[in-house]
Amino acid sequence: PVLPIPVVVLPGSGCTPTRECNFYDWFGRTIDAIKAADGTPKYRSIMRNMPDPHVCREKVWIPFVREELMEKGAAESTVVVGHSSGAVAAMRLAERCRLRGIVVVAGYDSDLGDANERASGYFDRPFDWDAIRANCGFVCAVGGARDTLVDIAIQRRVAVECLGLEAGVPGREWVELPDEDHFFSPPAQTLVDALERNVDAVGVLTDVAE
């Protein structure tokens, strides 16, 4: 595979500037320091301050990700790590874009009864779970059992029932952390480890479905 692997980090709503929030800066710096077997950088983290950072409208975010965060022609080699609202964006992106893989952190599939979430536009129609799976070399979801914003039962259902993920199966892996909340603060080594396991499980991407 072409190295370094681009890893786009999509933040949650209200998280601006991006690098000053949650685990994002720590995660980016940590994966940027990982070396491939030949000693060259394995990953290149990509994160920017997002437009419309509070409502995170799909019609604003998805074009921005495709046009500003992903290099032209590089989508199929790109991993998207999305957190909270960013996790929803990653899933919607994967419905229509072939990617190396996605890591869904604290993901959900409804507006959770929240008007701001409803205004994002992500929940105006059902998710195409088959397309998400088909377009991604790997899908990994990570959730905290003590999440105070997104109930773990929702995260578990999205991962297991909707995305077809299983614990301990890199490539289509569900990781449930008993003591984690909403991934508010670094370090987030479990996310780095999940990225590594799933990237390595897929290896060279040659057979992503149309």
Side-chain angles (χ1 to χ4, degrees):
V2 177
L3 296 173
I5 296 166
V7 179
V8 172
V9 178
L10 300 181
S13 63
C15 297
T16 188
T18 299
R19 284 191 178 272
E20 294 181 12
C21 300
N22 298 324
F23 61 87
Y24 311 136
D25 181 62
W26 180 92
F27 180 83
R29 288 185 291 105
T30 300
I31 66 170
D32 286 346
I34 295 173
K35 303 293 189 211
D38 64 359
T40 60
K42 184 174 180 180
Y43 302 104
R44 180 170 61 87
S45 69
I46 301 165
M47 66 185 95
R48 297 255 299 274
N49 293 338
M50 300 297 288
D52 191 26
H54 297 285
V55 180
C56 315
R57 290 174 183 85
E58 179 180 11
K59 65 184 180 183
V60 176
W61 273 43
I62 298 299
F64 181 80
V65 174
R66 297 189 74 162
E67 295 162 18
E68 301 290 333
L69 299 185
M70 294 197 299
E71 293 178 6
K72 192 170 181 64
E76 289 184 51
S77 63
T78 299
V79 175
V80 178
V81 177
H83 172 238
S84 200
S85 294
V88 181
M91 294 190 295
R92 284 299 189 194
L93 179 70
E95 284 181 332
R96 60 190 106 161
C97 184
R98 301 191 341 163
L99 300 165
R100 181 186 289 266
I102 58 173
V103 181
V104 174
V105 184
Y108 49 100
D109 64 345
S110 76
D111 62 28
L112 306 174
D114 182 271
N116 194 70
E117 293 286 344
R118 200 152 45 247
S120 70
Y122 287 121
F123 310 107
D124 293 348
R125 70 237 183 250
F127 283 80
D128 189 339
W129 304 111
D130 290 338
I132 294 170
R133 288 192 297 266
N135 281 334
C136 293
F138 73 80
V139 178
C140 173
V142 187
R146 300 190 179 199
D147 197 310
T148 49
L149 293 183
V150 181
D151 191 284
I152 188 61
I154 295 171
Q155 300 184 51
R156 191 184 296 130
R157 178 180 52 75
V158 167
V160 177
E161 295 179 26
C162 300
L163 290 170
L165 310 183
E166 294 181 53
V169 184
R172 50 187 189 93
E173 184 176 15
W174 164 234
V175 182
E176 185 170 323
L177 304 170
D179 298 318
E180 183 61 62
D181 191 345
H182 195 67
F183 299 89
F184 288 120
S185 56
Q189 188 61 44
T190 50
L191 300 183
V192 174
D193 295 343
L195 173 71
E196 284 271 77
R197 277 196 308 277
N198 284 272
V199 165
D200 292 348
V202 174
V204 182
L205 211 57
T206 54
D207 58 347
V208 178
E210 286 294 345

